[in-house]
Amino acid sequence: MNRREAFMAGLGAAAAFAAPGALAQARRASVQDARKLQDSAPLVEGLDGSTLNDEYLAKLEAAGLDVICQSRGGFDSFVELHNFLDRHPDRIVQALTVRDIRAANQAGKIAHVSGWQSAEFLVRDGDPVMPAIGNLRGYKQLGLRIVGLVYNVAGPFGGGSLDPEVGLTRAGKRLVEEIHKERLVLDVGGHTAEATSFGALEISKGMPVICSHTNLRSKVDNARNMTDKLIEAIAATGGVIGLTKVNDFHARVRNSPEPVTAQVGIEKHLDQYDYMKKLVGVDHIALGSDFMWGRKDLVAIIPELWPGDVYSNNPPWFMVKDTETVTEYPNVTKGLMERGWTDEEIRKVLGGNLLRVFEKVWGA
């Protein structure tokens, strides 16, 4: 079976639940073993904030990535994306459906999925009082497929992670309704306040919801990390939670006196997969690495968005050791293999779970 055939088989296999009660034995594994397993499954990056250029495209290809979900901005950002895709039609294409993802893989191309970490662009399109929520349809036509509500601080739609008790506003309710009407994936938690996220989940009955990139408050008391309660609520929708590789979210706690958090090892990252598996099950875990390769623009910190008790003062922020680039995915796979995860469980985490959600929301 070649890689394309394995990918197609993996799409079907990943949608099935693991046999109840199946126990796996911890096993010795090499990076080569891990890469072989990785290449037998859809590899889907749930959130990558890197600069998409020729150099990074080569890195994605070397990593064996099948699908990359990237945050975009307003109209100009989509024009820039389409111009880039037009220059590399034989290597990377826009994906609007899971069918597009399958076709891209069959053709040996990377599928690109566009999302928003915040719906602030609808605010910029509107008047000072009312965001232009109706413009969501236009952004969908440009390729938008995943929508986050708020980025870190409160806005017209609700609260950010830095003000967790601010709830979903009236405009936020309208936006969530429009997201579901347009069959887009709703992204809550992480950057979005807990109260706002729960408000959005209340009006998302029957639709799987994701948190594209976060980490665990139960492991590290950081405002960007999610509580078990919210993780369980997202999982209850049939959705998934993507785990980032951002070092601060594995080690930086509130009121930390250090300007820069010391880098931690990959075991800290692997611990989060094990915890999530026990909390909500393997069917609700995904990759949401939040790579920021080439993002020199992040040096201009806005303290209100990136305060010192959440982020180190060293943008673009570094990742957990041995997970720092896209080509190091096999290190995570190897670690899970050695912790006794089955091949099928790992395939779900690597991409099967996200593809299941995409197909449920977008259609085949």
Side-chain angles (χ1 to χ4, degrees):
M1 181 182 292
N2 63 29
R3 176 159 166 72
R4 293 178 193 172
E5 291 170 338
F7 178 91
M8 299 304 291
L11 281 174
F17 288 91
L23 296 176
Q25 296 292 325
R27 46 186 161 158
R28 299 173 68 91
S30 66
V31 172
Q32 290 74 25
D33 295 331
R35 179 60 191 254
K36 184 178 179 180
L37 174 55
Q38 175 186 299
D39 288 346
S40 74
L43 182 59
V44 182
E45 178 50 72
L47 194 283
D48 187 310
S50 302
T51 299
L52 186 60
N53 57 20
D54 291 7
E55 185 178 355
Y56 198 59
L57 178 56
K59 291 179 182 293
L60 297 175
E61 291 170 328
L65 195 71
D66 294 299
V67 184
I68 181 172
C69 302
Q70 285 201 303
S71 51
R72 309 308 302 171
F75 181 80
D76 291 348
S77 174
F78 281 92
V79 172
E80 179 184 5
L81 171 65
H82 283 284
N83 287 339
F84 181 82
L85 299 178
D86 286 347
R87 293 196 298 273
H88 304 284
D90 57 336
R91 300 169 67 189
I92 184 169
V93 296
Q94 186 177 54
L96 305 179
T97 64
V98 174
R99 187 182 301 112
D100 291 342
I101 291 172
R102 293 190 180 106
N105 185 263
Q106 288 178 321
K109 303 175 185 180
I110 295 170
H112 186 284
V113 175
S114 295
W116 275 344
Q117 295 191 55
S118 166
E120 64 179 298
F121 305 100
L122 299 175
V123 179
R124 297 178 187 181
D125 291 348
D127 61 40
V129 176
M130 179 55 66
I133 293 172
N135 285 7
L136 193 65
R137 181 178 180 182
Y139 284 107
K140 179 183 178 182
Q141 294 301 313
L142 292 173
L144 184 69
R145 287 297 179 273
I146 302 170
V147 181
L149 301 179
V150 185
Y151 191 95
N152 283 7
V153 296
F157 302 120
S161 58
L162 302 181
D163 38 39
E165 296 180 0
V166 176
L168 191 71
T169 64
R170 185 170 299 180
K173 182 176 184 293
R174 283 193 53 211
L175 174 58
V176 172
E177 292 170 343
E178 193 72 12
I179 289 169
H180 293 317
K181 175 185 173 184
E182 294 294 339
R183 305 293 293 188
L184 302 172
V185 174
L186 174 62
D187 185 0
V188 300
H191 288 295
T192 303
E194 182 160 297
T196 295
S197 297
F198 276 115
L201 290 171
E202 279 293 314
I203 54 176
S204 299
K205 304 301 183 184
M207 297 298 292
V209 175
I210 71 169
C211 178
S212 59
H213 60 301
T214 191
N215 292 97
L216 309 181
R217 185 80 59 86
S218 59
K219 289 289 184 182
V220 178
D221 185 21
N222 184 302
R224 264 288 278 112
N225 292 347
M226 272 174 37
T227 64
D228 287 0
K229 183 179 178 182
L230 183 53
I231 291 169
E232 290 170 327
I234 291 174
T237 72
V240 300
I241 296 91
L243 293 175
T244 89
K245 297 176 173 65
V246 177
N247 189 75
D248 281 337
F249 306 157
H250 293 74
R252 191 170 187 83
V253 298
R254 297 174 193 269
N255 303 314
S256 175
E258 300 297 330
V260 177
T261 306
Q263 189 179 34
V264 300
I266 191 172
E267 295 302 316
K268 291 284 188 182
H269 183 61
L270 295 172
D271 288 344
Q272 302 217 350
Y273 291 91
D274 283 340
Y275 185 92
M276 283 277 290
K277 183 179 175 182
K278 292 178 181 177
L279 181 67
V280 293
V282 70
D283 296 283
H284 306 289
I285 312 171
L287 303 177
S289 303
D290 206 9
F291 291 124
M292 290 172 277
W293 181 90
R295 292 296 305 277
K296 295 182 180 179
D297 57 307
L298 295 178
V299 173
I301 288 183
I302 305 173
E304 291 80 8
L305 292 179
W306 299 313
D309 63 343
V310 177
Y311 302 92
S312 292
N313 187 19
N314 65 327
W317 297 279
F318 59 88
M319 306 290 158
V320 171
K321 185 174 175 58
D322 297 324
T323 72
E324 297 164 79
T325 69
V326 293
T327 55
E328 291 183 305
Y329 287 123
N331 290 336
V332 175
T333 301
K334 175 178 179 291
L336 295 178
M337 293 170 73
E338 292 178 339
R339 288 182 176 219
W341 287 52
T342 68
D343 289 357
E344 183 56 32
E345 288 173 335
I346 294 170
R347 290 188 184 103
K348 289 181 178 184
V349 171
L350 293 179
N353 289 335
L354 267 174
L355 290 176
R356 183 192 73 239
V357 171
F358 292 167
E359 189 157 15
K360 174 72 172 178
V361 178
W362 305 339

PDB file of all heavy atoms in Angstrom, residues 2 21 24 64 81 85 120 154 165-166 169 171 180 190 206 244 248 254 260-261 276 288 291-293 318 322 333 361:
ATOM      1  N   ASN A   2       0.707   2.157  -0.992  1.00  0.00           N
ATOM      2  CA  ASN A   2       1.497   3.374  -1.008  1.00  0.00           C
ATOM      3  C   ASN A   2       0.878   4.428  -0.100  1.00  0.00           C
ATOM      4  O   ASN A   2      -0.179   4.216   0.491  1.00  0.00           O
ATOM      5  CB  ASN A   2       1.666   3.898  -2.437  1.00  0.00           C
ATOM      6  CG  ASN A   2       0.344   4.281  -3.087  1.00  0.00           C
ATOM      7  OD1 ASN A   2      -0.602   4.672  -2.408  1.00  0.00           O
ATOM      8  ND2 ASN A   2       0.289   4.159  -4.411  1.00  0.00           N
ATOM      9  N   GLY A  21     -12.194  -1.114  25.559  1.00  0.00           N
ATOM     10  CA  GLY A  21     -11.424  -1.994  26.416  1.00  0.00           C
ATOM     11  C   GLY A  21     -10.122  -2.477  25.823  1.00  0.00           C
ATOM     12  O   GLY A  21      -9.396  -3.239  26.464  1.00  0.00           O
ATOM     13  N   ALA A  24      -3.158  -1.442  25.021  1.00  0.00           N
ATOM     14  CA  ALA A  24      -1.939  -1.517  24.222  1.00  0.00           C
ATOM     15  C   ALA A  24      -0.736  -1.652  25.139  1.00  0.00           C
ATOM     16  O   ALA A  24      -0.749  -1.196  26.279  1.00  0.00           O
ATOM     17  CB  ALA A  24      -1.798  -0.272  23.364  1.00  0.00           C
ATOM     18  N   GLY A  64       5.827  15.829   5.434  1.00  0.00           N
ATOM     19  CA  GLY A  64       4.790  14.888   5.027  1.00  0.00           C
ATOM     20  C   GLY A  64       3.395  15.352   5.396  1.00  0.00           C
ATOM     21  O   GLY A  64       2.476  14.537   5.533  1.00  0.00           O
ATOM     22  N   LEU A  81      -3.195  34.931  -0.132  1.00  0.00           N
ATOM     23  CA  LEU A  81      -3.192  33.476  -0.130  1.00  0.00           C
ATOM     24  C   LEU A  81      -3.445  32.924  -1.529  1.00  0.00           C
ATOM     25  O   LEU A  81      -2.725  32.031  -1.998  1.00  0.00           O
ATOM     26  CB  LEU A  81      -4.260  32.952   0.836  1.00  0.00           C
ATOM     27  CG  LEU A  81      -4.516  31.440   0.775  1.00  0.00           C
ATOM     28  CD1 LEU A  81      -3.292  30.658   1.228  1.00  0.00           C
ATOM     29  CD2 LEU A  81      -5.740  31.069   1.619  1.00  0.00           C
ATOM     30  N   LEU A  85      -1.133  30.425  -3.802  1.00  0.00           N
ATOM     31  CA  LEU A  85      -1.594  29.141  -4.314  1.00  0.00           C
ATOM     32  C   LEU A  85      -1.513  29.086  -5.839  1.00  0.00           C
ATOM     33  O   LEU A  85      -1.174  28.043  -6.415  1.00  0.00           O
ATOM     34  CB  LEU A  85      -3.030  28.878  -3.858  1.00  0.00           C
ATOM     35  CG  LEU A  85      -3.269  28.786  -2.334  1.00  0.00           C
ATOM     36  CD1 LEU A  85      -4.745  28.559  -2.041  1.00  0.00           C
ATOM     37  CD2 LEU A  85      -2.419  27.711  -1.701  1.00  0.00           C
ATOM     38  N   GLU A 120     -12.812  39.411  14.355  1.00  0.00           N
ATOM     39  CA  GLU A 120     -12.658  40.860  14.416  1.00  0.00           C
ATOM     40  C   GLU A 120     -12.774  41.516  13.045  1.00  0.00           C
ATOM     41  O   GLU A 120     -13.082  42.707  12.938  1.00  0.00           O
ATOM     42  CB  GLU A 120     -11.296  41.213  15.015  1.00  0.00           C
ATOM     43  CG  GLU A 120     -10.128  40.742  14.156  1.00  0.00           C
ATOM     44  CD  GLU A 120      -8.779  41.125  14.745  1.00  0.00           C
ATOM     45  OE1 GLU A 120      -8.521  42.333  14.869  1.00  0.00           O
ATOM     46  OE2 GLU A 120      -8.010  40.216  15.084  1.00  0.00           O
ATOM     47  N   ALA A 154     -11.781  41.200  25.396  1.00  0.00           N
ATOM     48  CA  ALA A 154     -13.198  41.340  25.082  1.00  0.00           C
ATOM     49  C   ALA A 154     -13.423  42.204  23.852  1.00  0.00           C
ATOM     50  O   ALA A 154     -12.685  43.161  23.581  1.00  0.00           O
ATOM     51  CB  ALA A 154     -13.936  41.918  26.276  1.00  0.00           C
ATOM     52  N   GLU A 165     -14.825  35.668  32.454  1.00  0.00           N
ATOM     53  CA  GLU A 165     -16.204  35.713  32.923  1.00  0.00           C
ATOM     54  C   GLU A 165     -17.113  36.534  32.027  1.00  0.00           C
ATOM     55  O   GLU A 165     -18.326  36.606  32.268  1.00  0.00           O
ATOM     56  CB  GLU A 165     -16.239  36.249  34.357  1.00  0.00           C
ATOM     57  CG  GLU A 165     -15.524  35.341  35.356  1.00  0.00           C
ATOM     58  CD  GLU A 165     -15.564  35.867  36.769  1.00  0.00           C
ATOM     59  OE1 GLU A 165     -16.143  36.948  36.985  1.00  0.00           O
ATOM     60  OE2 GLU A 165     -15.020  35.196  37.667  1.00  0.00           O
ATOM     61  N   VAL A 166     -16.561  37.156  30.976  1.00  0.00           N
ATOM     62  CA  VAL A 166     -17.384  37.924  30.038  1.00  0.00           C
ATOM     63  C   VAL A 166     -18.079  36.944  29.097  1.00  0.00           C
ATOM     64  O   VAL A 166     -17.441  36.113  28.459  1.00  0.00           O
ATOM     65  CB  VAL A 166     -16.531  38.920  29.230  1.00  0.00           C
ATOM     66  CG1 VAL A 166     -17.383  39.642  28.189  1.00  0.00           C
ATOM     67  CG2 VAL A 166     -15.861  39.912  30.168  1.00  0.00           C
ATOM     68  N   THR A 169     -22.130  37.949  23.746  1.00  0.00           N
ATOM     69  CA  THR A 169     -22.998  39.112  23.593  1.00  0.00           C
ATOM     70  C   THR A 169     -24.129  38.811  22.614  1.00  0.00           C
ATOM     71  O   THR A 169     -24.179  37.748  21.997  1.00  0.00           O
ATOM     72  CB  THR A 169     -22.201  40.305  23.061  1.00  0.00           C
ATOM     73  OG1 THR A 169     -21.723  39.999  21.736  1.00  0.00           O
ATOM     74  CG2 THR A 169     -21.017  40.632  23.973  1.00  0.00           C
ATOM     75  N   ALA A 171     -24.502  40.274  19.755  1.00  0.00           N
ATOM     76  CA  ALA A 171     -23.858  40.141  18.442  1.00  0.00           C
ATOM     77  C   ALA A 171     -23.151  38.794  18.323  1.00  0.00           C
ATOM     78  O   ALA A 171     -23.127  38.187  17.246  1.00  0.00           O
ATOM     79  CB  ALA A 171     -22.862  41.285  18.229  1.00  0.00           C
ATOM     80  N   HIS A 180     -23.084  28.565  12.002  1.00  0.00           N
ATOM     81  CA  HIS A 180     -23.726  27.263  11.783  1.00  0.00           C
ATOM     82  C   HIS A 180     -24.589  27.279  10.521  1.00  0.00           C
ATOM     83  O   HIS A 180     -24.649  26.276   9.796  1.00  0.00           O
ATOM     84  CB  HIS A 180     -24.542  26.876  13.007  1.00  0.00           C
ATOM     85  CG  HIS A 180     -23.710  26.606  14.222  1.00  0.00           C
ATOM     86  ND1 HIS A 180     -22.539  25.876  14.169  1.00  0.00           N
ATOM     87  CD2 HIS A 180     -23.868  26.970  15.525  1.00  0.00           C
ATOM     88  CE1 HIS A 180     -22.022  25.801  15.393  1.00  0.00           C
ATOM     89  NE2 HIS A 180     -22.800  26.457  16.222  1.00  0.00           N
ATOM     90  N   GLY A 190      -9.506  28.311  24.234  1.00  0.00           N
ATOM     91  CA  GLY A 190      -8.216  28.864  23.831  1.00  0.00           C
ATOM     92  C   GLY A 190      -8.177  30.362  23.997  1.00  0.00           C
ATOM     93  O   GLY A 190      -8.080  30.888  25.107  1.00  0.00           O
ATOM     94  N   GLY A 206     -26.165  19.827  18.253  1.00  0.00           N
ATOM     95  CA  GLY A 206     -26.130  19.001  17.053  1.00  0.00           C
ATOM     96  C   GLY A 206     -24.944  19.235  16.153  1.00  0.00           C
ATOM     97  O   GLY A 206     -24.796  18.547  15.140  1.00  0.00           O
ATOM     98  N   THR A 244      -1.396  22.590  21.549  1.00  0.00           N
ATOM     99  CA  THR A 244      -0.274  23.352  21.008  1.00  0.00           C
ATOM    100  C   THR A 244       1.046  22.804  21.524  1.00  0.00           C
ATOM    101  O   THR A 244       1.100  22.048  22.498  1.00  0.00           O
ATOM    102  CB  THR A 244      -0.334  24.851  21.365  1.00  0.00           C
ATOM    103  OG1 THR A 244       0.328  25.081  22.622  1.00  0.00           O
ATOM    104  CG2 THR A 244      -1.738  25.379  21.410  1.00  0.00           C
ATOM    105  N   ASP A 248       5.352  28.162  26.623  1.00  0.00           N
ATOM    106  CA  ASP A 248       4.752  28.891  27.740  1.00  0.00           C
ATOM    107  C   ASP A 248       3.517  28.190  28.291  1.00  0.00           C
ATOM    108  O   ASP A 248       3.273  28.198  29.501  1.00  0.00           O
ATOM    109  CB  ASP A 248       4.363  30.306  27.304  1.00  0.00           C
ATOM    110  CG  ASP A 248       5.547  31.247  27.269  1.00  0.00           C
ATOM    111  OD1 ASP A 248       6.544  30.988  27.959  1.00  0.00           O
ATOM    112  OD2 ASP A 248       5.480  32.256  26.537  1.00  0.00           O
ATOM    113  N   ARG A 254       0.588  31.855  36.113  1.00  0.00           N
ATOM    114  CA  ARG A 254       0.197  33.231  36.419  1.00  0.00           C
ATOM    115  C   ARG A 254       1.209  33.885  37.357  1.00  0.00           C
ATOM    116  O   ARG A 254       1.746  33.252  38.262  1.00  0.00           O
ATOM    117  CB  ARG A 254      -1.178  33.257  37.095  1.00  0.00           C
ATOM    118  CG  ARG A 254      -2.304  32.729  36.224  1.00  0.00           C
ATOM    119  CD  ARG A 254      -3.581  32.669  37.036  1.00  0.00           C
ATOM    120  NE  ARG A 254      -4.612  31.905  36.360  1.00  0.00           N
ATOM    121  CZ  ARG A 254      -5.515  32.436  35.538  1.00  0.00           C
ATOM    122  NH1 ARG A 254      -5.502  33.734  35.304  1.00  0.00           N
ATOM    123  NH2 ARG A 254      -6.420  31.668  34.971  1.00  0.00           N
ATOM    124  N   VAL A 260      11.269  35.290  30.706  1.00  0.00           N
ATOM    125  CA  VAL A 260      11.235  34.213  29.720  1.00  0.00           C
ATOM    126  C   VAL A 260      11.182  32.878  30.464  1.00  0.00           C
ATOM    127  O   VAL A 260      11.972  32.634  31.369  1.00  0.00           O
ATOM    128  CB  VAL A 260      12.467  34.253  28.791  1.00  0.00           C
ATOM    129  CG1 VAL A 260      12.444  33.068  27.830  1.00  0.00           C
ATOM    130  CG2 VAL A 260      12.528  35.562  28.012  1.00  0.00           C
ATOM    131  N   THR A 261      10.255  32.028  30.070  1.00  0.00           N
ATOM    132  CA  THR A 261      10.115  30.721  30.700  1.00  0.00           C
ATOM    133  C   THR A 261      11.127  29.742  30.122  1.00  0.00           C
ATOM    134  O   THR A 261      11.298  29.671  28.900  1.00  0.00           O
ATOM    135  CB  THR A 261       8.698  30.162  30.458  1.00  0.00           C
ATOM    136  OG1 THR A 261       7.752  31.138  30.891  1.00  0.00           O
ATOM    137  CG2 THR A 261       8.492  28.863  31.207  1.00  0.00           C
ATOM    138  N   MET A 276      -5.569  14.023  28.385  1.00  0.00           N
ATOM    139  CA  MET A 276      -6.759  14.205  27.561  1.00  0.00           C
ATOM    140  C   MET A 276      -7.427  12.871  27.244  1.00  0.00           C
ATOM    141  O   MET A 276      -8.658  12.759  27.240  1.00  0.00           O
ATOM    142  CB  MET A 276      -6.380  14.908  26.259  1.00  0.00           C
ATOM    143  CG  MET A 276      -6.149  16.399  26.403  1.00  0.00           C
ATOM    144  SD  MET A 276      -7.701  17.315  26.344  1.00  0.00           S
ATOM    145  CE  MET A 276      -8.106  17.093  24.614  1.00  0.00           C
ATOM    146  N   GLY A 288      -2.754  20.896  17.196  1.00  0.00           N
ATOM    147  CA  GLY A 288      -3.008  22.336  17.017  1.00  0.00           C
ATOM    148  C   GLY A 288      -1.761  23.079  17.406  1.00  0.00           C
ATOM    149  O   GLY A 288      -1.755  23.919  18.302  1.00  0.00           O
ATOM    150  N   PHE A 291       2.519  26.607  15.341  1.00  0.00           N
ATOM    151  CA  PHE A 291       3.840  27.009  14.862  1.00  0.00           C
ATOM    152  C   PHE A 291       3.784  28.449  14.363  1.00  0.00           C
ATOM    153  O   PHE A 291       2.786  28.886  13.777  1.00  0.00           O
ATOM    154  CB  PHE A 291       4.304  26.095  13.725  1.00  0.00           C
ATOM    155  CG  PHE A 291       4.630  24.694  14.155  1.00  0.00           C
ATOM    156  CD1 PHE A 291       4.002  23.609  13.554  1.00  0.00           C
ATOM    157  CD2 PHE A 291       5.550  24.448  15.160  1.00  0.00           C
ATOM    158  CE1 PHE A 291       4.299  22.306  13.940  1.00  0.00           C
ATOM    159  CE2 PHE A 291       5.861  23.154  15.561  1.00  0.00           C
ATOM    160  CZ  PHE A 291       5.223  22.084  14.939  1.00  0.00           C
ATOM    161  N   MET A 292       4.883  29.187  14.572  1.00  0.00           N
ATOM    162  CA  MET A 292       4.937  30.600  14.172  1.00  0.00           C
ATOM    163  C   MET A 292       6.219  30.897  13.420  1.00  0.00           C
ATOM    164  O   MET A 292       6.847  31.938  13.611  1.00  0.00           O
ATOM    165  CB  MET A 292       4.775  31.486  15.412  1.00  0.00           C
ATOM    166  CG  MET A 292       3.374  31.434  16.003  1.00  0.00           C
ATOM    167  SD  MET A 292       3.215  32.291  17.577  1.00  0.00           S
ATOM    168  CE  MET A 292       3.791  31.037  18.719  1.00  0.00           C
ATOM    169  N   TRP A 293       6.604  29.973  12.549  1.00  0.00           N
ATOM    170  CA  TRP A 293       7.839  30.135  11.783  1.00  0.00           C
ATOM    171  C   TRP A 293       7.753  31.396  10.921  1.00  0.00           C
ATOM    172  O   TRP A 293       6.757  31.657  10.245  1.00  0.00           O
ATOM    173  CB  TRP A 293       8.056  28.905  10.897  1.00  0.00           C
ATOM    174  CG  TRP A 293       9.315  28.963  10.091  1.00  0.00           C
ATOM    175  CD1 TRP A 293      10.546  28.510  10.460  1.00  0.00           C
ATOM    176  CD2 TRP A 293       9.464  29.510   8.787  1.00  0.00           C
ATOM    177  NE1 TRP A 293      11.458  28.750   9.469  1.00  0.00           N
ATOM    178  CE2 TRP A 293      10.825  29.360   8.420  1.00  0.00           C
ATOM    179  CE3 TRP A 293       8.590  30.119   7.881  1.00  0.00           C
ATOM    180  CZ2 TRP A 293      11.316  29.808   7.201  1.00  0.00           C
ATOM    181  CZ3 TRP A 293       9.079  30.574   6.666  1.00  0.00           C
ATOM    182  CH2 TRP A 293      10.429  30.405   6.332  1.00  0.00           C
ATOM    183  N   PHE A 318       8.953  30.320  21.561  1.00  0.00           N
ATOM    184  CA  PHE A 318       9.508  29.025  21.181  1.00  0.00           C
ATOM    185  C   PHE A 318       8.631  27.887  21.682  1.00  0.00           C
ATOM    186  O   PHE A 318       7.763  28.053  22.531  1.00  0.00           O
ATOM    187  CB  PHE A 318      10.952  28.873  21.643  1.00  0.00           C
ATOM    188  CG  PHE A 318      11.174  28.994  23.135  1.00  0.00           C
ATOM    189  CD1 PHE A 318      11.077  27.894  23.954  1.00  0.00           C
ATOM    190  CD2 PHE A 318      11.521  30.212  23.704  1.00  0.00           C
ATOM    191  CE1 PHE A 318      11.307  27.978  25.315  1.00  0.00           C
ATOM    192  CE2 PHE A 318      11.755  30.321  25.065  1.00  0.00           C
ATOM    193  CZ  PHE A 318      11.640  29.207  25.874  1.00  0.00           C
ATOM    194  N   ASP A 322      12.179  19.463  21.052  1.00  0.00           N
ATOM    195  CA  ASP A 322      11.960  18.342  20.135  1.00  0.00           C
ATOM    196  C   ASP A 322      10.595  18.374  19.457  1.00  0.00           C
ATOM    197  O   ASP A 322      10.176  17.401  18.826  1.00  0.00           O
ATOM    198  CB  ASP A 322      12.148  16.986  20.834  1.00  0.00           C
ATOM    199  CG  ASP A 322      13.577  16.787  21.329  1.00  0.00           C
ATOM    200  OD1 ASP A 322      14.502  17.242  20.634  1.00  0.00           O
ATOM    201  OD2 ASP A 322      13.747  16.196  22.405  1.00  0.00           O
ATOM    202  N   THR A 333       4.770  11.333  17.674  1.00  0.00           N
ATOM    203  CA  THR A 333       4.263  10.002  17.339  1.00  0.00           C
ATOM    204  C   THR A 333       5.066   8.918  18.054  1.00  0.00           C
ATOM    205  O   THR A 333       4.507   7.982  18.635  1.00  0.00           O
ATOM    206  CB  THR A 333       4.318   9.788  15.818  1.00  0.00           C
ATOM    207  OG1 THR A 333       3.527  10.792  15.173  1.00  0.00           O
ATOM    208  CG2 THR A 333       3.797   8.415  15.438  1.00  0.00           C
ATOM    209  N   VAL A 361     -19.428  18.882   9.509  1.00  0.00           N
ATOM    210  CA  VAL A 361     -19.872  20.274   9.394  1.00  0.00           C
ATOM    211  C   VAL A 361     -20.000  20.705   7.936  1.00  0.00           C
ATOM    212  O   VAL A 361     -21.016  21.269   7.531  1.00  0.00           O
ATOM    213  CB  VAL A 361     -18.906  21.217  10.148  1.00  0.00           C
ATOM    214  CG1 VAL A 361     -19.348  22.673   9.968  1.00  0.00           C
ATOM    215  CG2 VAL A 361     -18.868  20.861  11.627  1.00  0.00           C
TER     216      VAL A 361
END
